[in-house]
Amino acid sequence: MEYMRVALEEARQAAAEGEIPVGAVIVKDGAVIAKAHNRRENDHDPTAHAEMLAMREAARILGDWRLRGCTLYVTLEPCPMCAGAMVMSQLSGCVYGAADEKQGCCGSVYDLPADPALAGQTKWQSGVMAEDCGEMMRTFFAGRRG
């Protein structure tokens, strides 16, 4: 739960910047090596999801695109793009908070990281601090709707 709390803090920062409140951290050997939050609006970049930014930073810090031995903690279930990047980076694990019934690809809509047709697989766990993560999303979108 300690790492999900860090991800939630990143999500709060995203919301403060007008971004959809998703935060992510990458952990290796018990230490946070990268953290990020959504930046699509501010960066005008469709790939600037919290997970993608955290994986890029972790790869830079490690000096290797292979994220073996790393675990991603993210407040919202990864989308197809992020779940695909998890597999392609050889990320060892993903832990997420709130499920995404519309676009989630770690069990909700599809289980991309476990697809046997892919060369690698990333293990995932859902529901960690799900209520806190989901409430942040609900509050953010309720505010947007007025």
Side-chain angles (χ1 to χ4, degrees), residues 7-19:
L8 276 164
E9 187 52 43
E10 284 293 316
R12 283 185 198 90
Q13 190 171 342
E17 295 173 10
E19 298 279 351

Side-chain angles (χ1 to χ4, degrees), residues 66-135:
R66 294 169 194 85
L67 299 179
R68 295 179 190 139
C70 294
T71 301
L72 167 70
Y73 290 80
V74 60
T75 58
L76 183 66
E77 181 178 1
C79 72
M81 175 181 66
C82 295
M86 288 168 23
V87 172
M88 298 305 294
S89 70
Q90 302 175 11
L91 187 76
S92 295
C94 172
V95 177
Y96 69 85
D100 184 345
E101 301 297 328
K102 293 182 180 175
Q103 300 182 92
C105 280
C106 290
S108 289
V109 174
Y110 179 58
D111 190 356
L112 191 148
D115 190 322
L118 301 176
Q121 296 184 345
T122 299
K123 303 226 181 293
W124 56 264
Q125 176 186 348
S126 63
V128 174
M129 297 184 69
E131 186 55 39
D132 294 329
C133 295
E135 183 58 31

